[in-house]
Coordinates of all heavy atoms in Angstrom, one line a residue:
L53 N 2.5 -1.0 -5.6 CA 1.8 -2.2 -5.9 C 0.4 -2.1 -5.2 O 0.3 -1.9 -4.0 CB 2.5 -3.4 -5.4 CG 3.9 -3.6 -6.0 CD1 4.6 -4.8 -5.3 CD2 3.9 -3.8 -7.5
K54 N -0.6 -2.3 -6.0 CA -2.0 -2.3 -5.5 C -2.5 -3.7 -5.2 O -2.3 -4.6 -6.0 CB -2.9 -1.7 -6.6 CG -4.3 -1.5 -6.2 CD -5.1 -0.8 -7.4 CE -6.5 -0.9 -7.3 NZ -7.2 -0.3 -8.4
I55 N -3.0 -3.9 -4.0 CA -3.4 -5.2 -3.5 C -4.9 -5.1 -3.1 O -5.2 -4.3 -2.2 CB -2.5 -5.7 -2.3 CG1 -1.1 -5.8 -2.8 CG2 -3.1 -7.0 -1.8 CD1 -0.1 -6.1 -1.7
D56 N -5.7 -5.9 -3.7 CA -7.1 -5.9 -3.4 C -7.3 -6.7 -2.1 O -7.0 -7.9 -2.1 CB -7.9 -6.5 -4.6 CG -9.4 -6.4 -4.3 OD1 -9.9 -7.1 -3.4 OD2 -10.1 -5.6 -5.0
R57 N -7.9 -6.0 -1.1 CA -8.0 -6.7 0.2 C -8.9 -7.9 0.1 O -8.7 -8.9 0.7 CB -8.6 -5.6 1.1 CG -9.0 -6.2 2.5 CD -10.4 -5.7 2.8 NE -10.8 -6.3 4.1 CZ -11.9 -7.2 4.1 NH1 -12.5 -7.5 3.1 NH2 -12.2 -7.7 5.3
D58 N -10.0 -7.8 -0.7 CA -11.0 -8.9 -0.8 C -10.4 -10.1 -1.5 O -10.7 -11.3 -1.1 CB -12.2 -8.5 -1.5 CG -13.0 -7.4 -0.7 OD1 -12.8 -7.4 0.6 OD2 -13.8 -6.7 -1.3
E59 N -9.5 -9.9 -2.4 CA -8.8 -11.0 -3.1 C -7.7 -11.6 -2.3 O -7.2 -12.7 -2.6 CB -8.3 -10.6 -4.5 CG -9.3 -10.2 -5.5 CD -8.7 -9.6 -6.7 OE1 -7.5 -9.6 -6.9 OE2 -9.5 -9.2 -7.6
N60 N -7.2 -10.9 -1.3 CA -6.0 -11.3 -0.5 C -6.3 -11.3 1.0 O -5.5 -10.7 1.7 CB -4.9 -10.4 -0.9 CG -4.4 -10.7 -2.3 OD1 -3.7 -11.7 -2.5 ND2 -4.7 -9.8 -3.2
L61 N -7.4 -11.8 1.4 CA -7.7 -11.8 2.9 C -6.6 -12.5 3.7 O -6.3 -12.0 4.8 CB -9.1 -12.5 3.1 CG -10.3 -11.6 2.7 CD1 -11.6 -12.5 2.8 CD2 -10.4 -10.3 3.4
D62 N -6.1 -13.6 3.3 CA -5.1 -14.3 4.0 C -3.8 -13.5 4.1 O -3.2 -13.4 5.2 CB -4.7 -15.7 3.4 CG -5.9 -16.7 3.5 OD1 -6.8 -16.5 4.4 OD2 -5.9 -17.7 2.7
L63 N -3.4 -12.8 3.0 CA -2.3 -12.0 3.0 C -2.5 -10.8 4.0 O -1.6 -10.5 4.7 CB -2.0 -11.5 1.6 CG -0.8 -10.6 1.4 CD1 0.5 -11.4 1.6 CD2 -0.7 -10.1 -0.1
C64 N -3.6 -10.2 3.9 CA -3.9 -9.1 4.8 C -3.9 -9.5 6.3 O -3.3 -8.8 7.1 CB -5.3 -8.4 4.5 SG -5.3 -7.5 3.0
Q65 N -4.4 -10.7 6.6 CA -4.3 -11.2 7.9 C -2.9 -11.4 8.4 O -2.5 -11.0 9.4 CB -5.1 -12.5 8.0 CG -5.2 -13.0 9.5 CD -6.2 -14.1 9.6 OE1 -6.5 -14.8 8.6 NE2 -6.6 -14.5 10.8
A66 N -2.1 -12.0 7.5 CA -0.7 -12.3 7.8 C 0.1 -11.0 8.0 O 1.0 -10.9 8.9 CB 0.0 -13.1 6.7
L67 N -0.3 -9.9 7.3 CA 0.4 -8.6 7.4 C -0.2 -7.7 8.5 O 0.2 -6.6 8.6 CB 0.5 -7.9 6.1 CG 1.4 -8.6 5.1 CD1 1.2 -8.0 3.7 CD2 2.8 -8.5 5.5
D68 N -1.3 -8.2 9.1 CA -2.0 -7.4 10.1 C -2.6 -6.1 9.5 O -2.5 -5.1 10.2 CB -1.1 -7.1 11.3 CG -1.9 -6.8 12.6 OD1 -3.1 -7.3 12.7 OD2 -1.4 -6.1 13.5
V69 N -3.2 -6.2 8.3 CA -3.8 -5.1 7.7 C -5.3 -5.3 7.9 O -6.0 -6.1 7.3 CB -3.5 -5.1 6.2 CG1 -4.4 -4.0 5.5 CG2 -2.1 -4.8 5.9
M70 N -5.9 -4.6 8.9 CA -7.3 -4.8 9.3 C -8.1 -3.6 8.7 O -9.3 -3.8 8.6 CB -7.4 -4.8 10.8 CG -6.7 -5.9 11.4 SD -7.2 -7.5 10.8 CE -6.0 -8.6 11.4
G71 N -7.6 -2.5 8.3 CA -8.3 -1.4 7.8 C -7.7 -1.0 6.5 O -6.5 -1.2 6.2
I72 N -8.6 -0.4 5.6 CA -8.1 0.1 4.3 C -8.7 1.5 4.1 O -9.7 1.8 4.7 CB -8.5 -0.9 3.2 CG1 -10.0 -1.2 3.2 CG2 -7.7 -2.1 3.2 CD1 -10.5 -2.0 2.1
P73 N -8.0 2.3 3.3 CA -6.8 2.1 2.6 C -5.6 2.0 3.6 O -5.6 2.7 4.6 CB -6.7 3.2 1.7 CG -7.4 4.4 2.3 CD -8.5 3.7 3.1
S74 N -4.6 1.2 3.3 CA -3.4 1.1 4.1 C -2.2 1.0 3.2 O -2.3 0.6 2.0 CB -3.5 -0.1 5.0 OG -4.4 0.1 6.0
F75 N -1.1 1.4 3.7 CA 0.2 1.5 2.9 C 1.3 0.8 3.8 O 1.4 1.2 4.9 CB 0.6 2.9 2.6 CG -0.4 3.7 1.8 CD1 -1.5 4.3 2.4 CD2 -0.3 3.8 0.4 CE1 -2.5 5.0 1.6 CE2 -1.2 4.4 -0.3 CZ -2.3 5.0 0.3
I76 N 2.0 -0.1 3.2 CA 3.2 -0.7 3.8 C 4.4 -0.5 2.9 O 4.3 -0.8 1.7 CB 3.0 -2.1 4.2 CG1 1.8 -2.3 5.1 CG2 4.3 -2.7 4.9 CD1 1.5 -3.8 5.5
V77 N 5.5 0.0 3.4 CA 6.7 0.2 2.6 C 7.7 -0.9 2.9 O 7.9 -1.2 4.1 CB 7.3 1.6 2.9 CG1 8.7 1.8 2.3 CG2 6.4 2.7 2.6
Y78 N 8.3 -1.4 1.9 CA 9.3 -2.4 2.0 C 10.5 -2.0 1.2 O 10.4 -1.4 0.1 CB 8.8 -3.8 1.4 CG 7.9 -4.6 2.3 CD1 6.6 -4.3 2.3 CD2 8.5 -5.5 3.1 CE1 5.7 -5.1 3.1 CE2 7.6 -6.2 4.0 CZ 6.3 -6.0 3.9 OH 5.4 -6.7 4.8
R79 N 11.7 -2.2 1.8 CA 13.0 -2.0 1.2 C 13.7 -3.3 1.2 O 14.0 -3.8 2.3 CB 13.8 -0.9 1.9 CG 13.2 0.4 1.7 CD 14.2 1.5 2.2 NE 13.6 2.8 2.0 CZ 13.6 3.7 2.9 NH1 14.2 3.5 4.1 NH2 13.0 4.9 2.7
N80 N 14.0 -3.8 0.0 CA 14.8 -5.1 -0.1 C 14.2 -6.2 0.7 O 14.9 -6.9 1.5 CB 16.3 -4.9 0.1 CG 16.8 -3.9 -0.9 OD1 16.5 -4.0 -2.1 ND2 17.7 -3.0 -0.5
G81 N 12.9 -6.3 0.7 CA 12.2 -7.4 1.4 C 11.9 -7.2 2.9 O 11.3 -8.0 3.5
K82 N 12.3 -6.1 3.4 CA 12.1 -5.8 4.8 C 11.2 -4.6 5.0 O 11.3 -3.6 4.3 CB 13.5 -5.4 5.5 CG 14.6 -6.5 5.4 CD 15.0 -7.0 6.7 CE 16.2 -7.9 6.6 NZ 16.0 -9.2 6.1
E83 N 10.3 -4.8 5.9 CA 9.3 -3.7 6.2 C 10.0 -2.5 6.7 O 10.8 -2.5 7.7 CB 8.2 -4.1 7.1 CG 7.2 -3.1 7.3 CD 6.0 -3.5 8.2 OE1 5.6 -4.7 8.2 OE2 5.4 -2.6 8.9
A84 N 9.8 -1.3 6.1 CA 10.4 -0.1 6.5 C 9.5 0.9 7.2 O 9.9 1.8 7.9 CB 11.1 0.6 5.3
G85 N 8.2 0.7 7.0 CA 7.2 1.5 7.6 C 5.8 1.2 7.2 O 5.6 0.5 6.2
R86 N 4.8 1.6 8.0 CA 3.4 1.3 7.6 C 2.5 2.4 8.1 O 2.7 3.1 9.1 CB 2.9 0.0 8.2 CG 3.0 -0.2 9.7 CD 2.4 -1.5 10.2 NE 2.8 -2.7 9.5 CZ 2.0 -3.7 9.2 NH1 0.8 -3.8 9.7 NH2 2.4 -4.8 8.5
F87 N 1.5 2.6 7.3 CA 0.4 3.6 7.5 C -0.9 2.8 7.4 O -1.5 2.7 6.3 CB 0.5 4.7 6.5 CG -0.4 5.9 6.8 CD1 -1.0 6.1 8.0 CD2 -0.5 6.9 5.8 CE1 -1.8 7.2 8.2 CE2 -1.4 8.0 6.0 CZ -2.0 8.2 7.2
V88 N -1.2 2.1 8.5 CA -2.3 1.1 8.4 C -3.3 1.5 9.5 O -3.0 1.6 10.7 CB -1.8 -0.3 8.8 CG1 -2.9 -1.3 8.9 CG2 -0.7 -0.8 7.7
S89 N -4.5 1.8 9.0 CA -5.7 2.1 9.8 C -6.9 2.1 9.0 O -6.9 2.0 7.8 CB -5.5 3.5 10.5 OG -5.7 4.5 9.5
K90 N -8.0 2.2 9.6 CA -9.3 2.2 8.9 C -9.7 3.6 8.5 O -10.7 3.8 7.9 CB -10.4 1.6 9.8 CG -10.7 2.3 11.1 CD -11.8 1.7 11.8 CE -12.1 2.3 13.2 NZ -12.0 3.7 13.4
D91 N -8.9 4.6 8.9 CA -9.3 6.0 8.7 C -9.0 6.4 7.2 O -8.1 5.9 6.6 CB -8.5 6.9 9.6 CG -8.8 6.6 11.1 OD1 -10.0 6.2 11.3 OD2 -7.9 6.7 11.9
R92 N -9.8 7.4 6.8 CA -9.5 8.0 5.5 C -8.1 8.7 5.5 O -7.7 9.3 6.5 CB -10.6 9.1 5.2 CG -10.3 9.9 3.9 CD -11.5 10.8 3.6 NE -12.5 10.0 3.0 CZ -13.7 10.4 2.5 NH1 -13.9 11.7 2.6 NH2 -14.6 9.6 2.0
K93 N -7.4 8.6 4.4 CA -6.1 9.2 4.3 C -6.1 10.3 3.2 O -6.6 10.0 2.1 CB -5.0 8.1 4.1 CG -4.9 7.2 5.2 CD -4.4 5.8 4.9 CE -4.4 4.9 6.0 NZ -5.7 4.4 6.4
T94 N -5.5 11.4 3.5 CA -5.4 12.4 2.5 C -4.0 12.3 1.7 O -3.1 11.6 2.2 CB -5.4 13.9 3.1 OG1 -4.2 14.0 3.9 CG2 -6.7 14.1 4.0
K95 N -3.9 13.0 0.6 CA -2.7 13.0 -0.2 C -1.6 13.5 0.7 O -0.5 12.9 0.7 CB -2.9 13.9 -1.4 CG -1.6 14.0 -2.2 CD -1.8 14.9 -3.4 CE -0.6 15.0 -4.3 NZ 0.1 16.3 -4.2
E96 N -1.8 14.5 1.5 CA -0.8 15.1 2.3 C -0.3 14.1 3.4 O 0.9 14.0 3.7 CB -1.2 16.4 3.0 CG -1.5 17.5 2.0 CD -2.8 17.4 1.1 OE1 -3.7 16.7 1.5 OE2 -2.8 18.0 0.1
E97 N -1.2 13.4 4.0 CA -0.9 12.4 5.0 C 0.0 11.3 4.4 O 0.9 10.9 5.0 CB -2.1 11.8 5.6 CG -2.9 12.8 6.6 CD -4.2 12.3 7.0 OE1 -4.9 11.5 6.3 OE2 -4.6 12.6 8.2
V98 N -0.4 10.8 3.2 CA 0.4 9.7 2.6 C 1.7 10.2 2.2 O 2.7 9.5 2.5 CB -0.4 9.1 1.4 CG1 0.5 8.1 0.6 CG2 -1.7 8.5 1.8
E99 N 1.8 11.4 1.7 CA 3.2 11.9 1.3 C 4.0 12.2 2.5 O 5.2 11.9 2.5 CB 3.0 13.2 0.4 CG 2.5 12.8 -0.9 CD 2.5 14.0 -1.9 OE1 2.5 15.2 -1.5 OE2 2.6 13.7 -3.1
N100 N 3.4 12.7 3.6 CA 4.2 12.9 4.9 C 4.7 11.6 5.4 O 5.8 11.5 5.9 CB 3.4 13.6 5.9 CG 3.2 15.1 5.6 OD1 4.0 15.7 4.9 ND2 2.2 15.7 6.1
F101 N 3.9 10.6 5.3 CA 4.3 9.2 5.8 C 5.5 8.8 5.0 O 6.5 8.3 5.5 CB 3.1 8.2 5.6 CG 3.5 6.8 5.5 CD1 4.1 6.2 6.6 CD2 3.4 6.1 4.4 CE1 4.4 4.8 6.5 CE2 3.7 4.8 4.3 CZ 4.3 4.1 5.4
L102 N 5.4 8.9 3.6 CA 6.5 8.4 2.8 C 7.7 9.2 2.9 O 8.9 8.7 2.9 CB 6.0 8.4 1.3 CG 5.0 7.4 0.9 CD1 4.4 7.6 -0.5 CD2 5.4 6.0 1.1
K103 N 7.6 10.5 3.2 CA 8.8 11.4 3.4 C 9.5 11.0 4.7 O 10.7 11.3 4.8 CB 8.4 12.9 3.5 CG 8.0 13.5 2.2 CD 7.5 14.9 2.4 CE 6.9 15.4 1.1 NZ 6.2 16.7 1.3
N104 N 8.8 10.5 5.6 CA 9.4 10.2 6.9 C 9.8 8.8 7.1 O 10.2 8.4 8.2 CB 8.4 10.6 8.1 CG 8.2 12.1 8.1 OD1 9.2 12.8 8.2 ND2 7.0 12.6 8.1
I105 N 9.8 8.0 6.1 CA 10.4 6.6 6.1 C 11.9 6.7 6.3 O 12.5 7.4 5.5 CB 10.0 5.8 4.9 CG1 8.5 5.7 4.7 CG2 10.7 4.4 4.9 CD1 7.8 4.8 5.8
K106 N 12.4 6.0 7.3 CA 13.8 6.1 7.5 C 14.6 5.0 6.7 O 14.2 4.0 6.5 CB 14.1 5.8 9.0 CG 13.3 6.8 9.9 CD 14.1 7.6 10.7 CE 13.4 8.5 11.6 NZ 12.4 9.4 11.2

Side-chain angles (χ1 to χ4, degrees):
L53 302 173
K54 181 175 164 183
I55 300 174
D56 186 289
R57 174 226 175 248
D58 293 339
E59 293 175 6
N60 289 282
L61 288 173
D62 291 341
L63 184 64
C64 288
Q65 186 174 15
L67 291 171
D68 202 26
V69 174
M70 300 301 168
I72 52 174
S74 288
F75 299 83
I76 303 179
V77 173
Y78 282 86
R79 289 194 181 131
N80 297 319
K82 303 238 187 291
E83 185 176 326
R86 59 174 47 216
F87 189 14
V88 174
S89 70
K90 63 178 175 37
D91 298 326
R92 176 173 283 186
K93 291 153 185 76
T94 65
K95 176 181 183 249
E96 293 76 22
E97 288 172 327
V98 173
E99 288 190 336
N100 285 335
F101 159 69
L102 293 172
K103 285 177 189 169
N104 291 308
I105 297 293
K106 307 238 181 311

